[in-house]
Amino acid sequence: MLPLPISANRPVKERIAWAELCFQESGDLLLGDQKIADLLAEFNLAVKFSRQKMDRSGVVALCRECDREEGGSCCGIGLEEKYDAWLLLINKLLGVGLPRKRQQKDGCFFLGENGCLLKARHVICINYACTKITTNVQPSVIKDLREVEGQEITSLFMLNEQVKRVFRKWIKQQETA
Ligand code: SF4
Ligand code: SF4
């Protein structure tokens, strides 16, 4: 029995519980949908390129330095509110273990000891660049980075739409059964 979709306004722990339950109840069915399987593969590839580009551009090193030496991560408390339950369900489909509790007092609920715990991230998390980044990384490199991040965002959007489409179809079938 699939649970009905949950509002994005519910507390993060409830959204996580919903994603866990949906994954438990329908994970195999969702992963068995060919279009979802193809989009997951495409998204994984897009994330890989995007992370490689971030690493080569020097952004990863700048963020690490900021986090470890300057105490200034931009992953602050409250940013978890950007994540609706669908995006959390997609993370489950990607094999991500969702946290049960906040790990850093003033940090985002999804911030782990070594950075973000999620694979499918909100657009705001994908392409945020503070002034430390924009002043230390060449504009042409940032432009390149934006292009691969654009592929990650597009791929995630399509995945999100397909998961919702399949899920809603099943809910309808459940209601008419
Ligand atoms: S984007 Fe800026 S504020 Fe955020 S971790 Fe990187 S350097 Fe720090
Ligand atoms: S990148 Fe991850 S940890 Fe940082 S704000 Fe976004 S979801 Fe939270």
Side-chain angles (χ1 to χ4, degrees), residues 62-63 66 72-74 128 130 132-133:
L62 286 166
C63 290
C66 169
S73 167
C74 48
Y128 177 73
C130 69
K132 178 177 168 117
I133 303 290

Side-chain angles (χ1 to χ4, degrees), residues 75 79 83 108 110-111 116 118 121 125:
C75 299
L79 277 163
Y83 286 76
C108 167
F110 301 114
L111 182 62
C116 184
L118 303 180
R121 292 173 305 147
C125 299

Side-chain angles (χ1 to χ4, degrees), residues 130-165:
C130 69
T131 48
K132 178 177 168 117
I133 303 290
T134 52
T135 51
N136 284 286
V137 180
Q138 284 193 351
S140 62
V141 176
I142 291 185
K143 187 170 167 278
D144 276 1
L145 198 50
R146 289 284 176 256
E147 267 171 39
V148 288
E149 286 167 352
Q151 285 159 17
E152 182 179 339
I153 292 164
T154 305
S155 173
L156 182 56
F157 173 79
M158 287 162 66
L159 182 55
N160 208 330
E161 291 301 297
Q162 181 63 9
V163 167
K164 284 183 190 167
R165 201 173 295 128

Side-chain angles (χ1 to χ4, degrees), residues 2-177:
L2 288 175
L4 292 171
I6 180 177
S7 159
N9 298 330
R10 301 305 303 161
V12 67
K13 286 186 182 171
E14 284 185 30
R15 300 195 306 271
I16 290 175
W18 182 90
E20 297 280 8
L21 182 61
C22 281
F23 182 69
Q24 193 185 309
E25 297 288 320
S26 67
D28 288 346
L29 288 169
L30 287 167
L31 291 168
D33 179 85
Q34 192 55 52
K35 197 154 182 204
I36 290 180
D38 292 346
L39 287 166
L40 283 169
E42 191 182 306
F43 177 73
N44 268 320
L45 208 58
V47 170
K48 189 174 155 203
F49 286 147
S50 177
R51 305 275 162 101
Q52 275 174 352
K53 202 77 159 182
M54 266 183 88
D55 204 7
R56 288 183 195 140
S57 68
V59 170
V60 171
L62 286 166
C63 290
R64 194 179 299 124
E65 180 187 79
C66 169
D67 195 34
R68 294 189 182 162
E69 290 161 34
E70 296 157 20
S73 167
C74 48
C75 299
I77 190 165
L79 277 163
E80 65 275 0
E81 300 310 331
K82 299 282 174 201
Y83 286 76
D84 67 14
W86 296 108
L87 201 40
L88 299 178
L89 175 58
I90 287 175
N91 274 285
K92 287 298 298 175
L93 295 174
L94 289 160
V96 172
L98 299 173
R100 293 273 177 275
K101 57 182 174 75
R102 195 179 301 280
Q103 298 185 22
Q104 299 190 24
K105 195 165 70 74
D106 297 319
C108 167
F109 198 90
F110 301 114
L111 182 62
E113 216 171 285
N114 297 310
C116 184
L117 299 168
L118 303 180
K119 189 159 194 182
R121 292 173 305 147
H122 190 279
V123 62
I124 225 171
C125 299
I126 295 175
N127 63 18
Y128 177 73
C130 69
T131 48
K132 178 177 168 117
I133 303 290
T134 52
T135 51
N136 284 286
V137 180
Q138 284 193 351
S140 62
V141 176
I142 291 185
K143 187 170 167 278
D144 276 1
L145 198 50
R146 289 284 176 256
E147 267 171 39
V148 288
E149 286 167 352
Q151 285 159 17
E152 182 179 339
I153 292 164
T154 305
S155 173
L156 182 56
F157 173 79
M158 287 162 66
L159 182 55
N160 208 330
E161 291 301 297
Q162 181 63 9
V163 167
K164 284 183 190 167
R165 201 173 295 128
V166 172
F167 191 89
R168 285 182 177 137
K169 196 172 101 191
W170 287 335
I171 292 280
K172 217 173 209 168
Q173 285 170 354
Q174 198 170 271
E175 284 168 352
T176 53

